[in-house]
Amino acid sequence: MKKTLFTIILVSIGFSSYSQQTNGFGPAEGQTIELGSEVTVEIFKRIDKAWAERDYETLKSYIASDAYLRFDDGTQVKGPKGFIKKIQKQYKEIEKTYGWGWETISAFSVKAVGAKDSSVRNQIGEWINAQFRGKDGSITMEWYQIHEGKIIYWYQANGKPVLK
């Protein structure tokens, strides 16, 4: 009996120490936010590197064919071909004025869990929030919804340069 009780206590402690902690809430009823995985952060790093190097083929390989992607100027595209076409146009515009490049300031992974309606779309995969500083001093924030190693949804917001 003592061994059984001891085993139950150990298992309970083990489960509680490995349970994911939530912090925050999501838009769906009952939904909370958890930290995501380092695996998803590593996928983001590969995407960021390919984008910075203009490695279009690698970048395309990380975008689902039915992905929705929304740029800070309001442009919405679908899939890897639309995304690459838009960023090629941006390169030309940005390069003329500021030069190409950015500093990746931060990135972290989170996931939404526990909605009463388990079909809530934002619970698919994990989300990366990444922040960048452009050569003009502007700050860009992007959200990447990554599922099975590919971006399925992405959007971007951009702030004016910070005055010093």
Side-chain angles (χ1 to χ4, degrees), residues 35 37-38 40-45 48 103-110 127-132 142-144:
L35 286 176
S37 68
E38 189 64 27
T40 304
V41 173
E42 289 302 320
I43 291 168
F44 161 76
K45 288 178 183 178
D48 189 40
E103 172 192 3
T104 304
I105 300 169
S106 66
F108 60 88
S109 176
V110 295
W127 292 81
I128 291 287
N129 173 270
Q131 295 182 46
F132 309 90
E142 297 176 346
W143 281 98
Y144 299 69

mmCIF file with all atom_site columns, all heavy atoms in Angstrom, residues 35 37-38 40-45 48 103-110 127-132 142-144:
data_model
loop_
_atom_site.group_PDB
_atom_site.id
_atom_site.type_symbol
_atom_site.label_atom_id
_atom_site.label_alt_id
_atom_site.label_comp_id
_atom_site.label_asym_id
_atom_site.label_entity_id
_atom_site.label_seq_id
_atom_site.pdbx_PDB_ins_code
_atom_site.Cartn_x
_atom_site.Cartn_y
_atom_site.Cartn_z
_atom_site.occupancy
_atom_site.B_iso_or_equiv
_atom_site.pdbx_formal_charge
_atom_site.auth_seq_id
_atom_site.auth_comp_id
_atom_site.auth_asym_id
_atom_site.auth_atom_id
_atom_site.pdbx_PDB_model_num
ATOM 1   N N   . LEU A 1 35  ? 3.710  29.022 -23.890 1.00 0.00 ? 35  LEU A N   1
ATOM 2   C CA  . LEU A 1 35  ? 4.944  29.163 -24.645 1.00 0.00 ? 35  LEU A CA  1
ATOM 3   C C   . LEU A 1 35  ? 4.997  28.062 -25.697 1.00 0.00 ? 35  LEU A C   1
ATOM 4   O O   . LEU A 1 35  ? 4.559  26.942 -25.455 1.00 0.00 ? 35  LEU A O   1
ATOM 5   C CB  . LEU A 1 35  ? 6.161  29.062 -23.736 1.00 0.00 ? 35  LEU A CB  1
ATOM 6   C CG  . LEU A 1 35  ? 6.430  30.270 -22.854 1.00 0.00 ? 35  LEU A CG  1
ATOM 7   C CD1 . LEU A 1 35  ? 7.615  29.994 -21.939 1.00 0.00 ? 35  LEU A CD1 1
ATOM 8   C CD2 . LEU A 1 35  ? 6.674  31.511 -23.689 1.00 0.00 ? 35  LEU A CD2 1
ATOM 9   N N   . SER A 1 37  ? 7.508  26.159 -28.871 1.00 0.00 ? 37  SER A N   1
ATOM 10  C CA  . SER A 1 37  ? 8.730  25.352 -28.821 1.00 0.00 ? 37  SER A CA  1
ATOM 11  C C   . SER A 1 37  ? 9.918  26.053 -29.471 1.00 0.00 ? 37  SER A C   1
ATOM 12  O O   . SER A 1 37  ? 9.774  26.926 -30.325 1.00 0.00 ? 37  SER A O   1
ATOM 13  C CB  . SER A 1 37  ? 8.492  24.028 -29.545 1.00 0.00 ? 37  SER A CB  1
ATOM 14  O OG  . SER A 1 37  ? 8.323  24.262 -30.927 1.00 0.00 ? 37  SER A OG  1
ATOM 15  N N   . GLU A 1 38  ? 11.080 25.612 -29.074 1.00 0.00 ? 38  GLU A N   1
ATOM 16  C CA  . GLU A 1 38  ? 12.322 26.097 -29.680 1.00 0.00 ? 38  GLU A CA  1
ATOM 17  C C   . GLU A 1 38  ? 12.425 25.617 -31.135 1.00 0.00 ? 38  GLU A C   1
ATOM 18  O O   . GLU A 1 38  ? 13.034 26.271 -31.967 1.00 0.00 ? 38  GLU A O   1
ATOM 19  C CB  . GLU A 1 38  ? 13.525 25.620 -28.858 1.00 0.00 ? 38  GLU A CB  1
ATOM 20  C CG  . GLU A 1 38  ? 14.834 26.241 -29.276 1.00 0.00 ? 38  GLU A CG  1
ATOM 21  C CD  . GLU A 1 38  ? 14.904 27.755 -29.066 1.00 0.00 ? 38  GLU A CD  1
ATOM 22  O OE1 . GLU A 1 38  ? 14.216 28.287 -28.194 1.00 0.00 ? 38  GLU A OE1 1
ATOM 23  O OE2 . GLU A 1 38  ? 15.670 28.408 -29.811 1.00 0.00 ? 38  GLU A OE2 1
ATOM 24  N N   . THR A 1 40  ? 10.069 25.623 -33.345 1.00 0.00 ? 40  THR A N   1
ATOM 25  C CA  . THR A 1 40  ? 9.412  26.633 -34.178 1.00 0.00 ? 40  THR A CA  1
ATOM 26  C C   . THR A 1 40  ? 10.283 27.884 -34.292 1.00 0.00 ? 40  THR A C   1
ATOM 27  O O   . THR A 1 40  ? 10.351 28.502 -35.355 1.00 0.00 ? 40  THR A O   1
ATOM 28  C CB  . THR A 1 40  ? 8.016  26.965 -33.610 1.00 0.00 ? 40  THR A CB  1
ATOM 29  O OG1 . THR A 1 40  ? 7.274  25.741 -33.508 1.00 0.00 ? 40  THR A OG1 1
ATOM 30  C CG2 . THR A 1 40  ? 7.262  27.912 -34.519 1.00 0.00 ? 40  THR A CG2 1
ATOM 31  N N   . VAL A 1 41  ? 10.985 28.248 -33.231 1.00 0.00 ? 41  VAL A N   1
ATOM 32  C CA  . VAL A 1 41  ? 11.911 29.389 -33.292 1.00 0.00 ? 41  VAL A CA  1
ATOM 33  C C   . VAL A 1 41  ? 13.023 29.096 -34.303 1.00 0.00 ? 41  VAL A C   1
ATOM 34  O O   . VAL A 1 41  ? 13.407 29.974 -35.091 1.00 0.00 ? 41  VAL A O   1
ATOM 35  C CB  . VAL A 1 41  ? 12.497 29.715 -31.900 1.00 0.00 ? 41  VAL A CB  1
ATOM 36  C CG1 . VAL A 1 41  ? 13.586 30.776 -31.991 1.00 0.00 ? 41  VAL A CG1 1
ATOM 37  C CG2 . VAL A 1 41  ? 11.389 30.170 -30.950 1.00 0.00 ? 41  VAL A CG2 1
ATOM 38  N N   . GLU A 1 42  ? 13.525 27.881 -34.313 1.00 0.00 ? 42  GLU A N   1
ATOM 39  C CA  . GLU A 1 42  ? 14.579 27.516 -35.274 1.00 0.00 ? 42  GLU A CA  1
ATOM 40  C C   . GLU A 1 42  ? 14.062 27.591 -36.716 1.00 0.00 ? 42  GLU A C   1
ATOM 41  O O   . GLU A 1 42  ? 14.790 28.008 -37.617 1.00 0.00 ? 42  GLU A O   1
ATOM 42  C CB  . GLU A 1 42  ? 15.132 26.121 -34.961 1.00 0.00 ? 42  GLU A CB  1
ATOM 43  C CG  . GLU A 1 42  ? 15.968 26.070 -33.695 1.00 0.00 ? 42  GLU A CG  1
ATOM 44  C CD  . GLU A 1 42  ? 17.170 27.019 -33.715 1.00 0.00 ? 42  GLU A CD  1
ATOM 45  O OE1 . GLU A 1 42  ? 17.842 27.152 -34.761 1.00 0.00 ? 42  GLU A OE1 1
ATOM 46  O OE2 . GLU A 1 42  ? 17.423 27.643 -32.666 1.00 0.00 ? 42  GLU A OE2 1
ATOM 47  N N   . ILE A 1 43  ? 12.831 27.178 -36.944 1.00 0.00 ? 43  ILE A N   1
ATOM 48  C CA  . ILE A 1 43  ? 12.243 27.302 -38.286 1.00 0.00 ? 43  ILE A CA  1
ATOM 49  C C   . ILE A 1 43  ? 12.183 28.774 -38.673 1.00 0.00 ? 43  ILE A C   1
ATOM 50  O O   . ILE A 1 43  ? 12.555 29.146 -39.795 1.00 0.00 ? 43  ILE A O   1
ATOM 51  C CB  . ILE A 1 43  ? 10.838 26.654 -38.334 1.00 0.00 ? 43  ILE A CB  1
ATOM 52  C CG1 . ILE A 1 43  ? 10.959 25.136 -38.204 1.00 0.00 ? 43  ILE A CG1 1
ATOM 53  C CG2 . ILE A 1 43  ? 10.096 27.033 -39.628 1.00 0.00 ? 43  ILE A CG2 1
ATOM 54  C CD1 . ILE A 1 43  ? 9.645  24.415 -37.950 1.00 0.00 ? 43  ILE A CD1 1
ATOM 55  N N   . PHE A 1 44  ? 11.748 29.624 -37.741 1.00 0.00 ? 44  PHE A N   1
ATOM 56  C CA  . PHE A 1 44  ? 11.720 31.062 -38.021 1.00 0.00 ? 44  PHE A CA  1
ATOM 57  C C   . PHE A 1 44  ? 13.115 31.573 -38.396 1.00 0.00 ? 44  PHE A C   1
ATOM 58  O O   . PHE A 1 44  ? 13.271 32.352 -39.336 1.00 0.00 ? 44  PHE A O   1
ATOM 59  C CB  . PHE A 1 44  ? 11.194 31.862 -36.817 1.00 0.00 ? 44  PHE A CB  1
ATOM 60  C CG  . PHE A 1 44  ? 11.589 33.304 -36.913 1.00 0.00 ? 44  PHE A CG  1
ATOM 61  C CD1 . PHE A 1 44  ? 10.936 34.161 -37.789 1.00 0.00 ? 44  PHE A CD1 1
ATOM 62  C CD2 . PHE A 1 44  ? 12.658 33.792 -36.189 1.00 0.00 ? 44  PHE A CD2 1
ATOM 63  C CE1 . PHE A 1 44  ? 11.338 35.472 -37.932 1.00 0.00 ? 44  PHE A CE1 1
ATOM 64  C CE2 . PHE A 1 44  ? 13.081 35.105 -36.326 1.00 0.00 ? 44  PHE A CE2 1
ATOM 65  C CZ  . PHE A 1 44  ? 12.412 35.951 -37.203 1.00 0.00 ? 44  PHE A CZ  1
ATOM 66  N N   . LYS A 1 45  ? 14.137 31.163 -37.662 1.00 0.00 ? 45  LYS A N   1
ATOM 67  C CA  . LYS A 1 45  ? 15.506 31.620 -37.952 1.00 0.00 ? 45  LYS A CA  1
ATOM 68  C C   . LYS A 1 45  ? 15.916 31.255 -39.381 1.00 0.00 ? 45  LYS A C   1
ATOM 69  O O   . LYS A 1 45  ? 16.574 32.049 -40.069 1.00 0.00 ? 45  LYS A O   1
ATOM 70  C CB  . LYS A 1 45  ? 16.500 31.034 -36.945 1.00 0.00 ? 45  LYS A CB  1
ATOM 71  C CG  . LYS A 1 45  ? 16.400 31.640 -35.566 1.00 0.00 ? 45  LYS A CG  1
ATOM 72  C CD  . LYS A 1 45  ? 17.401 30.942 -34.640 1.00 0.00 ? 45  LYS A CD  1
ATOM 73  C CE  . LYS A 1 45  ? 17.336 31.428 -33.221 1.00 0.00 ? 45  LYS A CE  1
ATOM 74  N NZ  . LYS A 1 45  ? 18.283 30.699 -32.355 1.00 0.00 ? 45  LYS A NZ  1
ATOM 75  N N   . ASP A 1 48  ? 14.011 33.637 -41.706 1.00 0.00 ? 48  ASP A N   1
ATOM 76  C CA  . ASP A 1 48  ? 14.614 34.972 -41.636 1.00 0.00 ? 48  ASP A CA  1
ATOM 77  C C   . ASP A 1 48  ? 15.923 35.027 -42.422 1.00 0.00 ? 48  ASP A C   1
ATOM 78  O O   . ASP A 1 48  ? 16.186 35.978 -43.171 1.00 0.00 ? 48  ASP A O   1
ATOM 79  C CB  . ASP A 1 48  ? 14.840 35.340 -40.169 1.00 0.00 ? 48  ASP A CB  1
ATOM 80  C CG  . ASP A 1 48  ? 15.259 36.780 -39.958 1.00 0.00 ? 48  ASP A CG  1
ATOM 81  O OD1 . ASP A 1 48  ? 14.714 37.679 -40.638 1.00 0.00 ? 48  ASP A OD1 1
ATOM 82  O OD2 . ASP A 1 48  ? 16.110 37.018 -39.082 1.00 0.00 ? 48  ASP A OD2 1
ATOM 83  N N   . GLU A 1 103 ? 17.866 44.349 -38.757 1.00 0.00 ? 103 GLU A N   1
ATOM 84  C CA  . GLU A 1 103 ? 18.370 43.680 -37.566 1.00 0.00 ? 103 GLU A CA  1
ATOM 85  C C   . GLU A 1 103 ? 17.186 42.969 -36.927 1.00 0.00 ? 103 GLU A C   1
ATOM 86  O O   . GLU A 1 103 ? 16.157 43.594 -36.663 1.00 0.00 ? 103 GLU A O   1
ATOM 87  C CB  . GLU A 1 103 ? 18.925 44.718 -36.591 1.00 0.00 ? 103 GLU A CB  1
ATOM 88  C CG  . GLU A 1 103 ? 19.296 44.163 -35.248 1.00 0.00 ? 103 GLU A CG  1
ATOM 89  C CD  . GLU A 1 103 ? 19.565 45.246 -34.203 1.00 0.00 ? 103 GLU A CD  1
ATOM 90  O OE1 . GLU A 1 103 ? 19.421 46.441 -34.495 1.00 0.00 ? 103 GLU A OE1 1
ATOM 91  O OE2 . GLU A 1 103 ? 19.897 44.860 -33.071 1.00 0.00 ? 103 GLU A OE2 1
ATOM 92  N N   . THR A 1 104 ? 17.314 41.681 -36.715 1.00 0.00 ? 104 THR A N   1
ATOM 93  C CA  . THR A 1 104 ? 16.272 40.936 -36.021 1.00 0.00 ? 104 THR A CA  1
ATOM 94  C C   . THR A 1 104 ? 16.484 41.166 -34.528 1.00 0.00 ? 104 THR A C   1
ATOM 95  O O   . THR A 1 104 ? 17.508 40.782 -33.974 1.00 0.00 ? 104 THR A O   1
ATOM 96  C CB  . THR A 1 104 ? 16.327 39.441 -36.366 1.00 0.00 ? 104 THR A CB  1
ATOM 97  O OG1 . THR A 1 104 ? 16.237 39.305 -37.793 1.00 0.00 ? 104 THR A OG1 1
ATOM 98  C CG2 . THR A 1 104 ? 15.191 38.677 -35.709 1.00 0.00 ? 104 THR A CG2 1
ATOM 99  N N   . ILE A 1 105 ? 15.511 41.821 -33.903 1.00 0.00 ? 105 ILE A N   1
ATOM 100 C CA  . ILE A 1 105 ? 15.630 42.215 -32.501 1.00 0.00 ? 105 ILE A CA  1
ATOM 101 C C   . ILE A 1 105 ? 15.222 41.086 -31.563 1.00 0.00 ? 105 ILE A C   1
ATOM 102 O O   . ILE A 1 105 ? 15.876 40.823 -30.558 1.00 0.00 ? 105 ILE A O   1
ATOM 103 C CB  . ILE A 1 105 ? 14.759 43.454 -32.214 1.00 0.00 ? 105 ILE A CB  1
ATOM 104 C CG1 . ILE A 1 105 ? 15.200 44.632 -33.083 1.00 0.00 ? 105 ILE A CG1 1
ATOM 105 C CG2 . ILE A 1 105 ? 14.805 43.821 -30.739 1.00 0.00 ? 105 ILE A CG2 1
ATOM 106 C CD1 . ILE A 1 105 ? 14.235 45.795 -33.048 1.00 0.00 ? 105 ILE A CD1 1
ATOM 107 N N   . SER A 1 106 ? 14.111 40.425 -31.879 1.00 0.00 ? 106 SER A N   1
ATOM 108 C CA  . SER A 1 106 ? 13.633 39.366 -30.989 1.00 0.00 ? 106 SER A CA  1
ATOM 109 C C   . SER A 1 106 ? 12.687 38.440 -31.729 1.00 0.00 ? 106 SER A C   1
ATOM 110 O O   . SER A 1 106 ? 12.120 38.805 -32.760 1.00 0.00 ? 106 SER A O   1
ATOM 111 C CB  . SER A 1 106 ? 12.904 39.962 -29.777 1.00 0.00 ? 106 SER A CB  1
ATOM 112 O OG  . SER A 1 106 ? 11.714 40.605 -30.187 1.00 0.00 ? 106 SER A OG  1
ATOM 113 N N   . ALA A 1 107 ? 12.523 37.258 -31.172 1.00 0.00 ? 107 ALA A N   1
ATOM 114 C CA  . ALA A 1 107 ? 11.539 36.295 -31.682 1.00 0.00 ? 107 ALA A CA  1
ATOM 115 C C   . ALA A 1 107 ? 11.216 35.325 -30.559 1.00 0.00 ? 107 ALA A C   1
ATOM 116 O O   . ALA A 1 107 ? 12.102 34.923 -29.800 1.00 0.00 ? 107 ALA A O   1
ATOM 117 C CB  . ALA A 1 107 ? 12.086 35.536 -32.892 1.00 0.00 ? 107 ALA A CB  1
ATOM 118 N N   . PHE A 1 108 ? 9.943  34.992 -30.445 1.00 0.00 ? 108 PHE A N   1
ATOM 119 C CA  . PHE A 1 108 ? 9.532  33.991 -29.475 1.00 0.00 ? 108 PHE A CA  1
ATOM 120 C C   . PHE A 1 108 ? 8.332  33.241 -30.024 1.00 0.00 ? 108 PHE A C   1
ATOM 121 O O   . PHE A 1 108 ? 7.636  33.714 -30.906 1.00 0.00 ? 108 PHE A O   1
ATOM 122 C CB  . PHE A 1 108 ? 9.226  34.603 -28.100 1.00 0.00 ? 108 PHE A CB  1
ATOM 123 C CG  . PHE A 1 108 ? 8.130  35.632 -28.108 1.00 0.00 ? 108 PHE A CG  1
ATOM 124 C CD1 . PHE A 1 108 ? 6.800  35.263 -27.954 1.00 0.00 ? 108 PHE A CD1 1
ATOM 125 C CD2 . PHE A 1 108 ? 8.432  36.969 -28.263 1.00 0.00 ? 108 PHE A CD2 1
ATOM 126 C CE1 . PHE A 1 108 ? 5.792  36.212 -27.959 1.00 0.00 ? 108 PHE A CE1 1
ATOM 127 C CE2 . PHE A 1 108 ? 7.431  37.933 -28.262 1.00 0.00 ? 108 PHE A CE2 1
ATOM 128 C CZ  . PHE A 1 108 ? 6.106  37.552 -28.113 1.00 0.00 ? 108 PHE A CZ  1
ATOM 129 N N   . SER A 1 109 ? 8.112  32.050 -29.473 1.00 0.00 ? 109 SER A N   1
ATOM 130 C CA  . SER A 1 109 ? 7.039  31.175 -29.940 1.00 0.00 ? 109 SER A CA  1
ATOM 131 C C   . SER A 1 109 ? 5.977  31.011 -28.857 1.00 0.00 ? 109 SER A C   1
ATOM 132 O O   . SER A 1 109 ? 6.309  30.810 -27.689 1.00 0.00 ? 109 SER A O   1
ATOM 133 C CB  . SER A 1 109 ? 7.622  29.810 -30.305 1.00 0.00 ? 109 SER A CB  1
ATOM 134 O OG  . SER A 1 109 ? 6.604  28.914 -30.673 1.00 0.00 ? 109 SER A OG  1
ATOM 135 N N   . VAL A 1 110 ? 4.726  31.118 -29.269 1.00 0.00 ? 110 VAL A N   1
ATOM 136 C CA  . VAL A 1 110 ? 3.587  30.870 -28.376 1.00 0.00 ? 110 VAL A CA  1
ATOM 137 C C   . VAL A 1 110 ? 2.567  30.012 -29.116 1.00 0.00 ? 110 VAL A C   1
ATOM 138 O O   . VAL A 1 110 ? 2.637  29.856 -30.331 1.00 0.00 ? 110 VAL A O   1
ATOM 139 C CB  . VAL A 1 110 ? 2.912  32.180 -27.892 1.00 0.00 ? 110 VAL A CB  1
ATOM 140 C CG1 . VAL A 1 110 ? 3.856  32.997 -27.036 1.00 0.00 ? 110 VAL A CG1 1
ATOM 141 C CG2 . VAL A 1 110 ? 2.378  32.995 -29.057 1.00 0.00 ? 110 VAL A CG2 1
ATOM 142 N N   . TRP A 1 127 ? 2.769  30.067 -33.049 1.00 0.00 ? 127 TRP A N   1
ATOM 143 C CA  . TRP A 1 127 ? 2.947  31.418 -33.567 1.00 0.00 ? 127 TRP A CA  1
ATOM 144 C C   . TRP A 1 127 ? 4.313  31.959 -33.150 1.00 0.00 ? 127 TRP A C   1
ATOM 145 O O   . TRP A 1 127 ? 4.717  31.806 -32.007 1.00 0.00 ? 127 TRP A O   1
ATOM 146 C CB  . TRP A 1 127 ? 1.882  32.348 -33.001 1.00 0.00 ? 127 TRP A CB  1
ATOM 147 C CG  . TRP A 1 127 ? 0.509  32.060 -33.487 1.00 0.00 ? 127 TRP A CG  1
ATOM 148 C CD1 . TRP A 1 127 ? -0.352 31.091 -33.021 1.00 0.00 ? 127 TRP A CD1 1
ATOM 149 C CD2 . TRP A 1 127 ? -0.180 32.736 -34.526 1.00 0.00 ? 127 TRP A CD2 1
ATOM 150 N NE1 . TRP A 1 127 ? -1.535 31.131 -33.714 1.00 0.00 ? 127 TRP A NE1 1
ATOM 151 C CE2 . TRP A 1 127 ? -1.456 32.156 -34.649 1.00 0.00 ? 127 TRP A CE2 1
ATOM 152 C CE3 . TRP A 1 127 ? 0.141  33.794 -35.373 1.00 0.00 ? 127 TRP A CE3 1
ATOM 153 C CZ2 . TRP A 1 127 ? -2.394 32.571 -35.569 1.00 0.00 ? 127 TRP A CZ2 1
ATOM 154 C CZ3 . TRP A 1 127 ? -0.790 34.226 -36.290 1.00 0.00 ? 127 TRP A CZ3 1
ATOM 155 C CH2 . TRP A 1 127 ? -2.041 33.615 -36.390 1.00 0.00 ? 127 TRP A CH2 1
ATOM 156 N N   . ILE A 1 128 ? 4.989  32.573 -34.107 1.00 0.00 ? 128 ILE A N   1
ATOM 157 C CA  . ILE A 1 128 ? 6.219  33.304 -33.813 1.00 0.00 ? 128 ILE A CA  1
ATOM 158 C C   . ILE A 1 128 ? 5.893  34.781 -33.873 1.00 0.00 ? 128 ILE A C   1
ATOM 159 O O   . ILE A 1 128 ? 5.296  35.259 -34.838 1.00 0.00 ? 128 ILE A O   1
ATOM 160 C CB  . ILE A 1 128 ? 7.332  32.992 -34.848 1.00 0.00 ? 128 ILE A CB  1
ATOM 161 C CG1 . ILE A 1 128 ? 7.841  31.562 -34.718 1.00 0.00 ? 128 ILE A CG1 1
ATOM 162 C CG2 . ILE A 1 128 ? 8.482  33.997 -34.743 1.00 0.00 ? 128 ILE A CG2 1
ATOM 163 C CD1 . ILE A 1 128 ? 8.700  31.288 -33.506 1.00 0.00 ? 128 ILE A CD1 1
ATOM 164 N N   . ASN A 1 129 ? 6.292  35.517 -32.853 1.00 0.00 ? 129 ASN A N   1
ATOM 165 C CA  . ASN A 1 129 ? 6.271  36.970 -32.907 1.00 0.00 ? 129 ASN A CA  1
ATOM 166 C C   . ASN A 1 129 ? 7.713  37.388 -33.070 1.00 0.00 ? 129 ASN A C   1
ATOM 167 O O   . ASN A 1 129 ? 8.574  36.973 -32.292 1.00 0.00 ? 129 ASN A O   1
ATOM 168 C CB  . ASN A 1 129 ? 5.699  37.573 -31.620 1.00 0.00 ? 129 ASN A CB  1
ATOM 169 C CG  . ASN A 1 129 ? 5.843  39.085 -31.631 1.00 0.00 ? 129 ASN A CG  1
ATOM 170 O OD1 . ASN A 1 129 ? 6.849  39.626 -31.177 1.00 0.00 ? 129 ASN A OD1 1
ATOM 171 N ND2 . ASN A 1 129 ? 4.851  39.755 -32.165 1.00 0.00 ? 129 ASN A ND2 1
ATOM 172 N N   . ALA A 1 130 ? 7.989  38.187 -34.100 1.00 0.00 ? 130 ALA A N   1
ATOM 173 C CA  . ALA A 1 130 ? 9.352  38.647 -34.355 1.00 0.00 ? 130 ALA A CA  1
ATOM 174 C C   . ALA A 1 130 ? 9.341  40.154 -34.563 1.00 0.00 ? 130 ALA A C   1
ATOM 175 O O   . ALA A 1 130 ? 8.402  40.699 -35.147 1.00 0.00 ? 130 ALA A O   1
ATOM 176 C CB  . ALA A 1 130 ? 9.931  37.952 -35.583 1.00 0.00 ? 130 ALA A CB  1
ATOM 177 N N   . GLN A 1 131 ? 10.392 40.801 -34.077 1.00 0.00 ? 131 GLN A N   1
ATOM 178 C CA  . GLN A 1 131 ? 10.535 42.240 -34.248 1.00 0.00 ? 131 GLN A CA  1
ATOM 179 C C   . GLN A 1 131 ? 11.861 42.531 -34.929 1.00 0.00 ? 131 GLN A C   1
ATOM 180 O O   . GLN A 1 131 ? 12.873 41.882 -34.650 1.00 0.00 ? 131 GLN A O   1
ATOM 181 C CB  . GLN A 1 131 ? 10.474 42.935 -32.895 1.00 0.00 ? 131 GLN A CB  1
ATOM 182 C CG  . GLN A 1 131 ? 9.122  42.793 -32.238 1.00 0.00 ? 131 GLN A CG  1
ATOM 183 C CD  . GLN A 1 131 ? 9.063  43.517 -30.916 1.00 0.00 ? 131 GLN A CD  1
ATOM 184 O OE1 . GLN A 1 131 ? 9.490  44.653 -30.804 1.00 0.00 ? 131 GLN A OE1 1
ATOM 185 N NE2 . GLN A 1 131 ? 8.536  42.850 -29.911 1.00 0.00 ? 131 GLN A NE2 1
ATOM 186 N N   . PHE A 1 132 ? 11.824 43.539 -35.806 1.00 0.00 ? 132 PHE A N   1
ATOM 187 C CA  . PHE A 1 132 ? 12.982 43.888 -36.623 1.00 0.00 ? 132 PHE A CA  1
ATOM 188 C C   . PHE A 1 132 ? 13.190 45.399 -36.605 1.00 0.00 ? 132 PHE A C   1
ATOM 189 O O   . PHE A 1 132 ? 12.233 46.156 -36.508 1.00 0.00 ? 132 PHE A O   1
ATOM 190 C CB  . PHE A 1 132 ? 12.748 43.465 -38.082 1.00 0.00 ? 132 PHE A CB  1
ATOM 191 C CG  . PHE A 1 132 ? 12.301 42.041 -38.230 1.00 0.00 ? 132 PHE A CG  1
ATOM 192 C CD1 . PHE A 1 132 ? 10.945 41.720 -38.214 1.00 0.00 ? 132 PHE A CD1 1
ATOM 193 C CD2 . PHE A 1 132 ? 13.219 41.018 -38.386 1.00 0.00 ? 132 PHE A CD2 1
ATOM 194 C CE1 . PHE A 1 132 ? 10.511 40.408 -38.354 1.00 0.00 ? 132 PHE A CE1 1
ATOM 195 C CE2 . PHE A 1 132 ? 12.788 39.703 -38.523 1.00 0.00 ? 132 PHE A CE2 1
ATOM 196 C CZ  . PHE A 1 132 ? 11.442 39.402 -38.510 1.00 0.00 ? 132 PHE A CZ  1
ATOM 197 N N   . GLU A 1 142 ? 6.143  41.161 -36.873 1.00 0.00 ? 142 GLU A N   1
ATOM 198 C CA  . GLU A 1 142 ? 5.503  40.147 -37.710 1.00 0.00 ? 142 GLU A CA  1
ATOM 199 C C   . GLU A 1 142 ? 5.046  38.979 -36.845 1.00 0.00 ? 142 GLU A C   1
ATOM 200 O O   . GLU A 1 142 ? 5.690  38.632 -35.858 1.00 0.00 ? 142 GLU A O   1
ATOM 201 C CB  . GLU A 1 142 ? 6.484  39.648 -38.783 1.00 0.00 ? 142 GLU A CB  1
ATOM 202 C CG  . GLU A 1 142 ? 6.906  40.742 -39.731 1.00 0.00 ? 142 GLU A CG  1
ATOM 203 C CD  . GLU A 1 142 ? 7.949  40.327 -40.748 1.00 0.00 ? 142 GLU A CD  1
ATOM 204 O OE1 . GLU A 1 142 ? 8.572  39.248 -40.595 1.00 0.00 ? 142 GLU A OE1 1
ATOM 205 O OE2 . GLU A 1 142 ? 8.151  41.098 -41.699 1.00 0.00 ? 142 GLU A OE2 1
ATOM 206 N N   . TRP A 1 143 ? 3.922  38.392 -37.260 1.00 0.00 ? 143 TRP A N   1
ATOM 207 C CA  . TRP A 1 143 ? 3.409  37.164 -36.651 1.00 0.00 ? 143 TRP A CA  1
ATOM 208 C C   . TRP A 1 143 ? 3.397  36.083 -37.724 1.00 0.00 ? 143 TRP A C   1
ATOM 209 O O   . TRP A 1 143 ? 2.871  36.298 -38.809 1.00 0.00 ? 143 TRP A O   1
ATOM 210 C CB  . TRP A 1 143 ? 1.986  37.372 -36.119 1.00 0.00 ? 143 TRP A CB  1
ATOM 211 C CG  . TRP A 1 143 ? 1.948  38.071 -34.801 1.00 0.00 ? 143 TRP A CG  1
ATOM 212 C CD1 . TRP A 1 143 ? 1.717  39.405 -34.595 1.00 0.00 ? 143 TRP A CD1 1
ATOM 213 C CD2 . TRP A 1 143 ? 2.140  37.484 -33.519 1.00 0.00 ? 143 TRP A CD2 1
ATOM 214 N NE1 . TRP A 1 143 ? 1.746  39.682 -33.253 1.00 0.00 ? 143 TRP A NE1 1
ATOM 215 C CE2 . TRP A 1 143 ? 2.005  38.512 -32.569 1.00 0.00 ? 143 TRP A CE2 1
ATOM 216 C CE3 . TRP A 1 143 ? 2.408  36.191 -33.080 1.00 0.00 ? 143 TRP A CE3 1
ATOM 217 C CZ2 . TRP A 1 143 ? 2.132  38.285 -31.203 1.00 0.00 ? 143 TRP A CZ2 1
ATOM 218 C CZ3 . TRP A 1 143 ? 2.535  35.967 -31.712 1.00 0.00 ? 143 TRP A CZ3 1
ATOM 219 C CH2 . TRP A 1 143 ? 2.396  37.008 -30.791 1.00 0.00 ? 143 TRP A CH2 1
ATOM 220 N N   . TYR A 1 144 ? 4.003  34.953 -37.418 1.00 0.00 ? 144 TYR A N   1
ATOM 221 C CA  . TYR A 1 144 ? 4.081  33.807 -38.318 1.00 0.00 ? 144 TYR A CA  1
ATOM 222 C C   . TYR A 1 144 ? 3.316  32.659 -37.668 1.00 0.00 ? 144 TYR A C   1
ATOM 223 O O   . TYR A 1 144 ? 3.706  32.197 -36.595 1.00 0.00 ? 144 TYR A O   1
ATOM 224 C CB  . TYR A 1 144 ? 5.522  33.335 -38.474 1.00 0.00 ? 144 TYR A CB  1
ATOM 225 C CG  . TYR A 1 144 ? 6.495  34.324 -39.042 1.00 0.00 ? 144 TYR A CG  1
ATOM 226 C CD1 . TYR A 1 144 ? 6.892  35.458 -38.327 1.00 0.00 ? 144 TYR A CD1 1
ATOM 227 C CD2 . TYR A 1 144 ? 7.074  34.108 -40.288 1.00 0.00 ? 144 TYR A CD2 1
ATOM 228 C CE1 . TYR A 1 144 ? 7.818  36.348 -38.842 1.00 0.00 ? 144 TYR A CE1 1
ATOM 229 C CE2 . TYR A 1 144 ? 8.010  34.998 -40.806 1.00 0.00 ? 144 TYR A CE2 1
ATOM 230 C CZ  . TYR A 1 144 ? 8.369  36.112 -40.082 1.00 0.00 ? 144 TYR A CZ  1
ATOM 231 O OH  . TYR A 1 144 ? 9.294  36.986 -40.587 1.00 0.00 ? 144 TYR A OH  1
#
